Amino acid sequence: MTSGQLHAFKLNNGTEIPSVGLGCYMGSNDFTEKQVYSMVQKAIQAGYRHFDTATGYGNEKQVGEAIRDSGIARSEFYVTTKLANGDHHRVQEAFEESFERLNLEWIDLYLLHWPQASTGDVDFSQINAPKMALPPDAHPTFVETYKEMEKLMATGERKKKLLFLCGDREQGRVKSIGVSNFSIKTLEELLPHCSVVPATNQVELHPCLPQDDLKSYCEAKGILLSAYSPLGRSQTFFAEQPLIAGLADKYHVTWAQIILSWAVQRGTVVLPKSENEGRMIANITLLQLSDQDMHALNTLHRQPGMHRSLVPFHADYGGVFGWTYEWLGWKMAKGGYVLEV
Ligand code: A2P
């Protein structure tokens, strides 16, 4: 078995991203600053060097603080944060705020968290009444927002022209940009306008939602897929699947190690969240699965009722955070079940 931290994937701009990172979404807005600080501190001690946060997680400050306080060189870490839906109209300012909150000299990866813009922050407790989301044709569109993010990557004279902020401090403040929650449909709309191809697309991804079509599409475009909620956001769902329980017994590991190893072995980054030291260590201690076992996991979603999302943000109207599945380009029915074609 190897520590997932030792393995890295190469991005389309030549930089590298560790295959396992700690997802820093705390599961709700009900957490303390101390809890986040302690989670990141423990993860660093356990060997994590890759952390995935977002403006919307409300904890960039504590993530940055724990990394700084570790005394380990900044260059050892890989840190991702994301632009919130309510900030699409103010990309430069929102980036500046994230940059200040993290206070880590640079941000390795800055993602457009969702394609949909909203007039305020997403309220995770109001998934069925997301009245603030703007429709796809409202300005700024996600293409316009992404074009603003590209300006963060510009260098030299071009940067001086593009940004109202200039000077030495601008150099290398963000190493890569990318997207999250994009489908083939929204990427098809975005890519013709890109001068910087997104380095990654972060989506929900696990054996019930392997995202096979999106994965092939992204690979063809040079975009790396990364997985949020790679364990299905539950401590029991996959543990109770006979296939996964059987493989855990066979390899003498936990069900979570089977799933994370599968995801990394098929070439995707995984970002499991954990506050528990033992589970953190397990989640970066991955193994090589046989071709036959990879195949069994690749096809688990074909069992009746298994091809589905496992996260709780699907609204009753049939969509997520104010957009319909159709607008998002997610081939899903109510509850997040994938429409089989
Ligand atoms: P905990 O923090 O108590 O470990 P996400 O979908 O945001 O990645 O969340 C993952 C969920 O799975 C969290 O509730 C986390 O809880 C739990 N978890 C993380 N790693 C493991 C593991 N190895 N075994 C069982 N549960 C896990």
Side-chain angles (χ1 to χ4, degrees), residues 190-201:
L190 177 68
L191 292 181
H193 305 279
C194 290
S195 38
V196 179
V197 174
T200 70
N201 180 21

Side-chain angles (χ1 to χ4, degrees), residues 23-27 39 48 227-236 239 254-257 260 271-280 282-283 311:
C24 295
Y25 175 55
M26 302 304 280
M39 174 179 81
Y48 283 74
Y228 68 74
S229 291
L231 300 175
R233 190 71 64 90
S234 152
Q235 305 210 356
T236 51
T254 65
W255 64 270
Q257 286 168 295
L260 299 173
L271 302 163
K273 173 259 176 190
S274 184
E275 289 172 69
N276 174 282
E277 211 173 336
R279 292 193 282 273
M280 282 176 183
N283 293 351
V311 296

Side-chain angles (χ1 to χ4, degrees), residues 190-252:
L190 177 68
L191 292 181
H193 305 279
C194 290
S195 38
V196 179
V197 174
T200 70
N201 180 21
Q202 187 182 124
V203 296
E204 182 188 351
L205 194 156
H206 44 65
C208 282
L209 200 61
Q211 305 273 17
D212 290 329
D213 293 347
L214 182 63
K215 184 168 175 286
S216 303
Y217 178 88
C218 286
E219 276 166 7
K221 305 289 179 189
I223 302 166
L224 184 72
L225 270 193
S226 59
Y228 68 74
S229 291
L231 300 175
R233 190 71 64 90
S234 152
Q235 305 210 356
T236 51
F237 183 85
F238 283 121
E240 288 165 3
Q241 297 302 318
L243 168 70
I244 291 169
L247 290 175
D249 278 351
K250 175 179 159 181
Y251 288 94
H252 307 293

